[in-house]
Amino acid sequence: MRASTYPLVDADVAAALVLEHTPVLPVERVALGEAVGRILAGDLRAPADLPAFRASAVDGFAVRAADAGKALRDVGESAAGRPFAGRVEPGTTARILTGGVVPDGADAVVMFEEVRIEGQTVTVPADLRAGSNFHRPGADVKAGERVLSAGTQLGAAELGLAAALGFAEVEVHRRPRAVLMSTGDELVEVGRKPGRGQITDSNRWALLAALREAGVEVQSLGIAPDEPVALRRLVIDALETADVLVTSGGVSVGTHDLVKPMLESLGTVHIGRVKLKPGKPFTFATIRAPLPSPLPEGERVKLAFGLPGFPVSSLVTFEVFVRPALRKLQGYARLQRPTLPVRLGYDARATADRTEYQRVTLRREGTELVADTTGSQSSSRLMSLAGAHALVRVAPGDQGIRAGSIVEAMILALP
Ligand code: AMP
Ligand code: MG
């Protein structure tokens, strides 16, 4: 073993440094059907009012409020998509269906249930109010109004809104492409029986899920051997098409830990160790695609994350460093997980020199959320993260946080 030459970087400083080096990916126009889950690149403004015309909210009769209590002559019909061509003059009315245009002359709609019909004569109630039972132009959205902000993720309602306003395509950021590999001679493919001293590669599956959940296209490269020449070749080839490299393992200081030297030889290692628990060996580098490159200048910088091998360390460092960067690449306005105040249901012990992210489950108690520890916080124990609802950040020192204290927890899922 040799001592690491990398300085221990404060966890917040490291997180900021990663984001500083992370670009926002370029913009592309995509059809609405391809835009689900994508991030809007610019504000979306309404080109016109919604609704565009006075639209009936009910099935009934279009009337003039001044004709309240009168027997009116039925002169026609305004159905959805088939407007009435004439006017509603004093003493007349037109049948109208939900979504139909309120004809000129009319200033109210009365529901079918409220009128009496005898042949062509419709007797309307004595208390008609102008403006009732129809939607005014621009009542939902005014022309020129900003309806969606840049950085918003497009879900069902947002895409429906875009369609309602006539946008067949939207401008979104390109999705990041990541390549993922595990390193370690001790690893075997899941499903194969590990021999003596071997373990199943679980990190790749955990990280594959984490990357996909974060909106990334992932190419999984399998298990790389602890062999520098082969590893370097694999990474160079993979990065030709990818924006992000994620590796697990091989970042501690043992002689077989090859990821740092490999990244060092390809680019710039910005972070080689972090004051973080779990996840001290977290490594971050940027690699510039060599010239000549088919990529435009803005897309030549690739991010490389060397995540620690211990399963919890790899996922916690993913949460703290990688996920915000993936969101920045995609153009999200909000990079961080939401936080909520929670009451600690246990004494959170601090680690002297490292920021600790402790895994907790949440339960409701009255109006509060109470956080319970998931048990042993060992970096190999995935059970500490499986089913966890939140991460509680404990600052370095000898203080810790007493049970009963309220802290802002980083929410992964609500109970
Ligand atoms: P390393 O960072 O390569 O020294 O790995 C530290 C420890 O993490 C190893 O001893 C393994 O127990 C574990 N580990 C490494 N890679 C994986 C993996 N892909 N899946 C599960 N555990 C792993
Ligand atoms: Mg290893």
Side-chain angles (χ1 to χ4, degrees), residues 186-189 191-200:
E186 77 277 33
L187 301 177
V188 296
E189 207 37 89
R192 300 239 330 260
K193 194 172 154 53
R196 186 173 149 79
Q198 294 186 314
I199 59 168
T200 302

Coordinates of all heavy atoms in Angstrom, one line a residue, residues 186-189 191-200:
E186 N -12.0 -9.6 -8.5 CA -12.7 -10.5 -7.6 C -14.2 -10.6 -8.1 O -14.9 -11.4 -7.5 CB -12.7 -10.0 -6.1 CG -13.6 -8.8 -5.8 CD -13.0 -7.4 -6.2 OE1 -12.3 -7.3 -7.2 OE2 -13.3 -6.4 -5.5
L187 N -14.6 -9.9 -9.1 CA -16.0 -9.8 -9.4 C -16.4 -10.9 -10.4 O -15.7 -11.2 -11.4 CB -16.3 -8.4 -10.0 CG -16.0 -7.2 -9.1 CD1 -16.3 -5.9 -9.9 CD2 -16.9 -7.3 -7.8
V188 N -17.6 -11.4 -10.2 CA -18.2 -12.3 -11.2 C -19.5 -11.8 -11.6 O -20.2 -11.1 -10.9 CB -18.3 -13.8 -10.7 CG1 -16.9 -14.4 -10.5 CG2 -19.2 -13.9 -9.5
E189 N -20.0 -12.1 -12.8 CA -21.2 -11.7 -13.3 C -22.4 -12.3 -12.5 O -22.3 -13.4 -12.0 CB -21.3 -12.2 -14.8 CG -22.1 -11.5 -15.8 CD -22.1 -10.0 -15.7 OE1 -21.3 -9.3 -16.3 OE2 -23.0 -9.5 -15.0
G191 N -25.5 -14.2 -11.3 CA -26.0 -15.4 -11.8 C -25.0 -16.5 -11.8 O -25.3 -17.7 -11.8
R192 N -23.7 -16.1 -11.9 CA -22.6 -17.1 -11.9 C -22.2 -17.4 -10.4 O -22.3 -16.5 -9.6 CB -21.4 -16.6 -12.7 CG -21.7 -16.3 -14.1 CD -20.9 -17.2 -15.1 NE -19.5 -17.5 -14.6 CZ -18.4 -16.9 -14.9 NH1 -18.4 -15.8 -15.7 NH2 -17.3 -17.3 -14.4
K193 N -21.9 -18.6 -10.2 CA -21.5 -18.9 -8.8 C -20.1 -18.4 -8.5 O -19.1 -18.8 -9.2 CB -21.6 -20.4 -8.6 CG -21.5 -20.9 -7.2 CD -21.8 -22.4 -7.1 CE -21.2 -23.0 -5.8 NZ -21.6 -22.4 -4.6
P194 N -20.0 -17.5 -7.5 CA -18.7 -17.0 -7.1 C -17.8 -18.1 -6.6 O -18.2 -18.9 -5.8 CB -18.9 -16.0 -6.0 CG -20.4 -15.7 -6.0 CD -21.0 -17.0 -6.6
G195 N -16.5 -18.1 -7.1 CA -15.6 -19.1 -6.5 C -15.0 -18.5 -5.2 O -15.4 -17.5 -4.8
R196 N -14.0 -19.2 -4.7 CA -13.4 -18.8 -3.4 C -12.8 -17.4 -3.6 O -12.0 -17.2 -4.6 CB -12.4 -19.8 -3.0 CG -11.7 -19.6 -1.7 CD -10.8 -20.7 -1.3 NE -9.7 -20.3 -0.5 CZ -9.8 -20.1 0.8 NH1 -10.9 -20.3 1.4 NH2 -8.7 -19.7 1.5
G197 N -13.2 -16.5 -2.7 CA -12.6 -15.1 -2.8 C -13.3 -14.2 -3.8 O -12.9 -13.1 -4.0
Q198 N -14.3 -14.8 -4.5 CA -15.0 -13.9 -5.5 C -16.3 -13.4 -5.0 O -16.9 -14.0 -4.1 CB -15.2 -14.7 -6.8 CG -14.0 -15.2 -7.5 CD -14.3 -15.9 -8.8 OE1 -15.2 -16.8 -8.8 NE2 -13.6 -15.5 -9.8
I199 N -16.7 -12.3 -5.5 CA -18.1 -11.8 -5.1 C -18.8 -11.4 -6.4 O -18.2 -11.2 -7.5 CB -18.0 -10.6 -4.2 CG1 -17.2 -9.4 -4.8 CG2 -17.4 -10.9 -2.9 CD1 -17.4 -8.1 -4.1
T200 N -20.1 -11.4 -6.3 CA -21.0 -11.0 -7.4 C -20.9 -9.5 -7.6 O -20.9 -8.7 -6.6 CB -22.4 -11.4 -7.2 OG1 -22.5 -12.8 -7.0 CG2 -23.3 -11.0 -8.4

